Amino acid sequence: MHSEDIINKTIAFVKHTLADAEGGHDWFHIERVYKNSLLISKTETVDPLVVALGALLHDIADSKFHNGDETLGPKIAREFLFKHNVDSKIIEHVIQIIENISFKSSLSGKNTFKSCELDVVQDADRLDAIGAIGIARCFNYGGFKNRALYNPDIKPNPNMTKEAYKASNAPSINHFYEKLLLLKDKMNTKTGKQIAEERHNYMLGFLDQFYGEWEGKR
């Protein structure tokens, strides 16, 4: 099967699978990550098919929507790619991307897999977690989980373990300090770093405005 054919089939599969997904982790999130991956790839030496499939399948079954099961996403992706006769080396590479892409995975300190393709898709995914869209996704998920917008009495913990991060029910504003504002310095690629700088500064401006309005000063 040609690369274009498997990419088109993967897009159709992901759209169908995530048709009822939470708004911050739906097909449109995948599409943005896919587009960001293509943009970043222009200045990197990568296998374009691995990047495309990794981006399209990276959140096919996000563990936080499946009782914390981190094996389901890789399993679904592997079965789909095997069914469509994708080369086994490409399948294994894509699975490694899915298993190692998330922010919470980086908190475990056990990540040993590295590749330029992972760097690209990871940067693309992280870019979608910051800036204007990152803010929108943060509060959308907070509303989905019925979390407080902000509680001055609950202080952020930017040094959480993976287990603590997964179990956290902190207000949405805390998520900026526990993840979103940390991502700029975790970018892998030159293009990713450049885009992240602008989006990071946008979030800082938002927080300044938010606190001013919260205190009745604006």
Side-chain angles (χ1 to χ4, degrees):
M1 183 178 294
H2 295 297
S3 294
E4 185 177 350
D5 291 334
I6 185 58
I7 289 171
N8 288 336
K9 287 183 180 297
T10 305
I11 288 172
F13 172 69
V14 175
K15 282 184 176 180
H16 174 76
T17 303
L18 300 182
D20 298 317
E22 179 265 335
H25 299 82
D26 57 3
W27 159 248
F28 294 112
H29 162 63
I30 302 299
E31 184 178 41
R32 291 190 301 269
V33 172
Y34 177 53
K35 289 179 178 178
N36 280 335
S37 293
L38 297 181
L39 174 64
I40 296 170
S41 291
K42 292 180 180 179
T43 55
E44 303 295 323
T45 303
V46 294
D47 183 327
L49 181 57
V50 171
V51 167
L53 295 177
L56 290 169
L57 293 166
H58 82 278
D59 259 352
I60 196 63
D62 190 310
S63 62
K64 60 178 163 285
F65 301 106
H66 297 277
N67 298 314
D69 185 352
E70 297 179 16
T71 68
L72 184 59
K75 179 177 182 289
I76 291 173
R78 186 187 300 279
E79 290 175 350
F80 170 80
L81 295 173
F82 182 79
K83 174 183 175 181
H84 291 284
N85 300 311
V86 175
D87 182 88
S88 60
K89 289 184 179 180
I90 291 177
I91 293 177
E92 292 311 312
H93 198 160
V94 171
I95 297 305
Q96 289 279 18
I97 289 174
I98 296 170
E99 291 178 341
N100 290 278
I101 190 174
S102 72
F103 175 76
K104 65 178 179 293
S105 292
S106 70
L107 300 177
S108 68
K110 297 179 181 179
N111 288 25
T112 58
F113 178 78
K114 296 183 182 299
S115 77
C116 293
E117 289 79 7
L118 170 61
D119 287 347
V120 167
V121 180
Q122 190 172 61
D123 277 9
D125 188 40
R126 288 174 172 175
L127 286 176
D128 207 54
I130 60 179
I133 286 176
I135 293 170
R137 292 181 68 213
C138 175
F139 287 106
N140 190 85
Y141 184 72
F144 178 80
K145 299 293 287 186
N146 197 30
R147 293 179 179 174
L149 293 177
Y150 173 52
N151 185 334
D153 296 328
I154 302 176
K155 303 302 180 186
N157 177 10
N159 299 304
M160 285 190 286
T161 63
K162 178 181 177 180
E163 291 70 25
Y165 179 84
K166 289 176 67 174
S168 176
N169 290 308
S172 292
I173 284 291
N174 289 32
H175 193 56
F176 283 80
Y177 302 95
E178 294 167 350
K179 177 183 177 180
L180 308 189
L181 293 174
L182 306 178
L183 294 180
K184 176 177 70 71
D185 294 329
K186 292 181 175 291
M187 305 301 288
N188 304 298
T189 66
K190 181 179 180 181
T191 301
K193 290 175 182 178
Q194 290 174 341
I195 299 173
E197 188 75 32
E198 180 179 354
R199 296 191 184 194
H200 180 86
N201 291 335
Y202 185 91
M203 292 191 297
L204 293 178
F206 168 81
L207 289 169
D208 182 61
Q209 180 72 23
F210 181 93
Y211 292 129
E213 293 180 13
W214 187 275
E215 297 295 337
K217 297 178 180 178
R218 293 187 179 179

